[in-house]
Every structure is written in C-alpha cells, then in structure tokens.
Amino acid sequence: MPLEQLLSTWNSLEPRRRIIVALAAIGVFAAVLGLTRLATAPGMALLYAGLEGPQSGEVIQALDQRGVAYEVRGDAIYVDATQRDEMRMALAGQGLPANSSSGYELLDGLTGFGTTAQMFDAAYWRAKEGELARTIMASPHIRQARVHISQGAAQPFRRDGEMSASVTVTPVGPALSPQQGQALRYLVASAVAGMRPEAVAVIDSAGGMVVAEEEGPDMQGHDRAEQMRRNVERLLEARVGQGRAVVELNIETVTDRETITERRIDPEARVPVSQETEESTQTSSDTGGAGVTVASNLPDGQAGGTEGRSESREQTSRERIAWEVSETSRELERGPGAIRRLTVAVLVDGVRSTDDAGETQWTPRSDDELAALRELVASAVGYDEARGDVITLRSLEFQPVSTELGTAGVQSWLSALDLMGLIRLAALAAVALVLALFVLRPILKGGGSGSGQAAAAEDEDDPMAGFAPMIAMAPGLTGEIDGDFGGSESGDAQDSVDRMRQLIAERQDETIEVLRAWMDETEEAR
C-alpha cells in the first residue's frame, strides 16, 4: 500500500514538480552523505608546528613509511587525534623532529690527527652554543633559539678578556616577559665560565630587545615597584572592597655607581703604647795653685796662701712616651638601585548607599578614613619625608564596568565551545531544513492542490478539509456522507471530523477509488 500511494502521488505531480522533487532528493542525499562522512571522519589534531623545511620533510617521510594519514596546513602537520600521542613518542624514539643545532656530538668527529688547537676551540664553542640552544628550546614557550658566544679579542698576553653572549629566541605565543629574559641570561651565564649575567643580551624576534646590560637596575626598580603596588592594593581592597582601589607607584632609583674611601683620626682618643724614663747625675771637683793675681804681687798680698779647689755637679732626667692615636678607615661602595624618590597615587571609590526612593547614592569617604588609609600606605611603602616622597590619596566615584565584565564572560563562554561540534550541528540543521523545504513541502503541495476549492480548503483549520473535492466526486459515498453529516453545520465540528475518519477507515477501497478519480480529473483539468 505505501508503495502504491507513493506511485500515485508521483504520477499526480506535474513534470516541473517531478524535476524539483528529484533534484531536492539528490541534494538531500548528497547532504546526508557529506554529513555522514564528516561525522565518521577522524578528528585531526596538531602533531607539530613551526618546523623548518628539512625537519618537516623528515617527519612527513616517517609518517609515510608508517602509513599514517596526515594533513599539512601551512607550517603545521595534523594527524588523527587518537594517534597523535603515539606518533609523538614513536617519532621522538627516532630522534624526530631533528634539532637544527648540533651539540657536543660535533666533538665526536674530531681526531688527534690534523686537528689544531684553534679548530678544537672553534668546535667546542659551537657545541656549547648548540647545547644551550637545545636547553632553551626544551621550554614549551620557546619555538626557536640561537646562541652566540663572544670571547673578545684574541690577545695572547692578556688573560682578563671580557666574554659576552647574545640569545635570539622565537616564542610560541606572546612575547617574552622581562622575567623570562632574566632567566635566560642567568642560564647562559651559568653555563659559560667567567661570564657575567649582565654581559648576556636576550632578543625576542617578535618583540625586539627583552633584556640588555644597561637595563638591569631599571628592571630591578620595576619589579620592586610592581611588588609594592600589589601589596598596597591588596591592603586597600581589604577595606574598600575588590576592584574599588587603584594604586600607581613610581620609584626613582639611583643609576650611578660610586666608591667612597674615608680615613678619620681622633686626637682626643690616645692610648700610651710604651714609656721610657732615663735619669743621669754627673759630679766633678778640681784642686790646684792659685792663679797669679795683683794681690799676689803686693808685699802684703796672699801670694803665699793655700791651694785653690773647684767642684761641679750635673743631674739629667729624660722620659719618653709613645702614643697611639685612634684612626678609622672606611671604604663604601654604592651601586645603582637605591631609592632616590618615591611617589604614590591612590584612588579609592566612595561609599554607595540606597535612599528611601530606592536610588543609589554615592558619597566620598570621610577625611578621617582617608587619613587612616594614607598612614597605612605610608607604612607599606616606607615613606620618607626627608627624601622627598609624595603620597596622594583621593576618593572619587568609579564608573561601572559591568558591560566589560559581561563581554569578557561571553567571550570566555564562546571560546569554550567545540568548533567542530558546532559545525556538525549546523550541518545537521541545514539537512533537516532542506528536507522540510524541498522534499516534504513539494510532495504535500503536489498531493493536495488540484483546484481552487482544494486551495481554499487547505487554508482552513479543519484537517479533513482536503477531502471536500473527493466528497463532491464520489457518487457512491455522497448519500451516506450527506446522511451522516447532515447536521454538521449546526453540530460540533470535532464530531464531524471523527465521523469522517471512521467512514474512511471502514470504506478504504472506495476511498482509494475516490482519490484516484479525483487525481485523474485534476490531470485532465490541467
């Protein structure tokens, strides 16, 4: 029966509708076939990306030898998602993808015959650069890396040659941060004996210079300011709430390096170290004739007197004391990085309250509260008035940011969706729409439209209205239908529909004859 009804419906269609139905059926079949192929096709996952030409060729050759299906999209290679991890482990066992930089294996090809000291040194430093590049590329954030080490001028009588290095990296995602650049500097400096971290320059191929020698103190000041800013902001948010305080902190650091040598002598602070005392006494006496004088020549003179006598005594005392004077020697070296001046700007939101009318009112914070918050900020940053530090704290109204938060939430929700799943759902919906518009609708229209009376009956809500022309063209059923539905105009419409369905179920053969006669007459009328 269903096949006969389908053939009857197909024969009742005009040629133009038959062509439309045939094309629609072919289109639906192709869409279903494509959707089935898309649903059953394995999901492709990224195997490797950003490889150089020789490396990509070796990986593709290994996949061909294993008979693994793959796709090449730009510089990326995709394989079946269920085989990706297995392929990575298998290729890693073969040493693929091969690293473009060579390491210590360069030294394996050197022999003692024909290898000079200069050749060995050159090979050694090439191996050192290759090993450092390998270590850097072991990070998941680095795609490519090149290391160059400079030993300075080759002077045989100079041993204190300055060594330097440069590192060029290509990150996988965003540009390298200064902290990552510092880590690379210390990595290279620690691997090369006698190299200072300040002598290593890190260059990002996408973002330019990351860390250079002269940027060391500035980067330290930046890190210190960022840490202090986070501390102050966390302290204020504990009082005013999350997202209701903005802190900006600027540190002016000393960039000069100076060495101060000081020697101070205190004359008041003396200590006797040694004391020496020396005393001497000397005595001498002399006796002899008196000398010739005028008195000795007189007649009554003393020419015949006694002998003369002289005596002398000398006493000497000497004391020597050695003193040590207090002396202080100090050498002070001041490097760059000391805080010269500190400025802090703090913006806090006011207090929001709801009045009797239900409206939100904003009021600034009181002066006492702002003074207390300012003291907390001064204590957190180490405020020094003598140094010229400045702290500015204001209470101003914040603008609402709910729209931005909502947009961010929608974006995060969209990013979490599966793109391939959405494509499959859209294809399934398109197939269902094509099936409904270009197959079912033409068939239903072709089987139910034949005259103006049928078209008018289709616009009514009665589901049995399409049988109006059949009833008019069925001589055998006219009397019974008129008898059964004689009072349908004044009776219930639902009862009429039920009686019509019952009659059709009881007289199926005659109903088919009515349909066939109706379609034949419709074709003749057309």
Side-chain angles (χ1 to χ4, degrees), residues 47 73 98 107 192 233 254 259 287 307 323 326 328 330 351 354 365 377 380 394 400 417 431 470 473 480 522:
L47 181 64
R73 305 174 186 174
L107 303 179
V192 180
E233 195 169 27
V254 177
T259 301
T287 59
E307 298 179 355
W323 301 86
S326 177
T328 303
R330 184 175 60 176
V351 180
T354 305
R365 299 186 180 272
V377 174
R394 295 289 184 270
L417 293 178
V431 170
M470 296 190 302
M473 293 182 292
E480 295 182 11
T522 303

Side-chain angles (χ1 to χ4, degrees), residues 171-192:
V172 175
L176 293 181
S177 62
Q179 291 77 13
Q180 293 174 332
Q182 288 284 359
L184 294 180
R185 295 179 67 182
Y186 282 100
L187 171 65
V188 176
S190 301
V192 180

Side-chain angles (χ1 to χ4, degrees), residues 38 52 71 76 107 121 129 147-148 151 168 173 200 208 250 266 361 376 427 473 478 488 510 513:
L38 180 63
E52 297 181 357
E71 293 182 5
L107 303 179
D121 291 341
E129 293 172 354
V147 180
H148 301 278
Q151 304 180 31
T168 305
V200 180
N250 182 29
D266 187 4
Q361 300 292 334
L376 292 176
M473 293 182 292
T478 303
S488 60
E510 296 181 5
E513 294 295 331

